[in-house]
Amino acid sequence: ITDDGTKADDCVPGGIAKGLWETHPDVQAARADASIWSKTWIRADEMSQEMFFARVDSQFFDIFGINVIKGRASKEPHTAVLSEDAATRLFGDVDPIGRVVTRPGDGHDDVGDYRVTGLIADLPKYAFHKLDVVTSWPTAHRTANDRRTWEGWQNSLFGPKCFVKLPVGYDPARI
């Protein structure tokens, strides 16, 4: 709810982040799928775990100061970065880099296999949300509708959330 009592939606067209990049180059903006607040089943070998699964764009880690501690974050489709906790739950003591995790199911545009390319430290216990499996947002672009939601101005209840990081001393009214 906004200050004037009207309802606001935190799922916004991805074009907002793109527009901010173009009109305010000193402002950081990132998109993340709305599913970052819900769990889904993830499988690796014979192990299945319920985990938080997120599709994010390339600026997401920078905005939140999330460092890849092993391997790398990849922008390639069907690649994933795991939290240390997720890697341990799925693979035990085995190095997960290069291994495959699967989001099973049907009816979702992001089901399938993901090659693990990196590890991130677990977020603090009271972080704004939990990240277990983080994938690149191009993975989701299987239809023109997906592209319009992530890159254009089509709004969707399950579309991306837009996070903005202003430089120190930046006046929000400039946006």
Side-chain angles (χ1 to χ4, degrees), residues 46-83:
E46 300 301 316
M47 175 63 67
S48 288
Q49 293 280 323
E50 198 173 19
M51 298 186 164
F52 288 95
F53 179 90
R55 296 179 294 185
V56 303
D57 71 17
S58 60
Q59 294 206 7
F60 186 81
F61 288 167
D62 292 336
I63 283 186
F64 290 103
I66 299 170
N67 295 316
V68 177
I69 58 174
K70 183 175 184 182
R72 64 184 178 85
S74 175
K75 296 178 188 176
E76 298 168 24
H78 290 281
T79 57
V81 173
L82 303 180
S83 70

Side-chain angles (χ1 to χ4, degrees), residues 5 7 43 47 56-57 60 67 73-74 78 87 103 129 134 137 145 150 163 165 170 175:
K7 185 174 185 272
R43 185 177 66 237
M47 175 63 67
V56 303
D57 71 17
F60 186 81
N67 295 316
S74 175
H78 290 281
R103 181 173 184 194
H129 62 79
V134 183
W137 66 268
N145 189 49
W150 274 83
F163 299 94
K165 182 177 181 181
Y170 195 90
I175 298 178

Side-chain angles (χ1 to χ4, degrees), residues 3-30:
D3 290 342
D4 67 357
T6 59
K7 185 174 185 272
D9 190 351
D10 61 353
C11 295
V12 297
I16 288 176
K18 186 177 179 184
L20 284 170
W21 297 331
E22 293 171 356
T23 59
H24 301 279
D26 47 345
V27 171
Q28 289 182 296

Side-chain angles (χ1 to χ4, degrees), residues 82-159:
L82 303 180
S83 70
E84 290 179 293
D85 177 63
T88 300
R89 289 190 290 151
L90 291 169
F91 296 105
D93 293 331
V94 175
D95 183 358
I97 306 297
R99 305 289 301 259
V100 173
V101 296
T102 302
R103 181 173 184 194
D106 48 329
H108 297 282
D109 59 0
D110 51 11
V111 298
D113 293 338
Y114 294 84
R115 183 175 43 85
V116 178
T117 61
L119 290 177
I120 58 173
D122 295 328
L123 297 183
K125 183 177 180 179
Y126 297 106
F128 66 103
H129 62 79
K130 186 168 172 46
L131 294 175
D132 290 317
V133 180
V134 183
T135 66
S136 61
W137 66 268
T139 297
H141 289 94
R142 296 200 178 141
T143 67
N145 189 49
D146 292 330
R147 284 189 297 280
R148 284 191 299 271
T149 301
W150 274 83
E151 299 171 1
W153 295 99
Q154 177 173 314
N155 202 359
S156 167
L157 176 61
F158 301 105

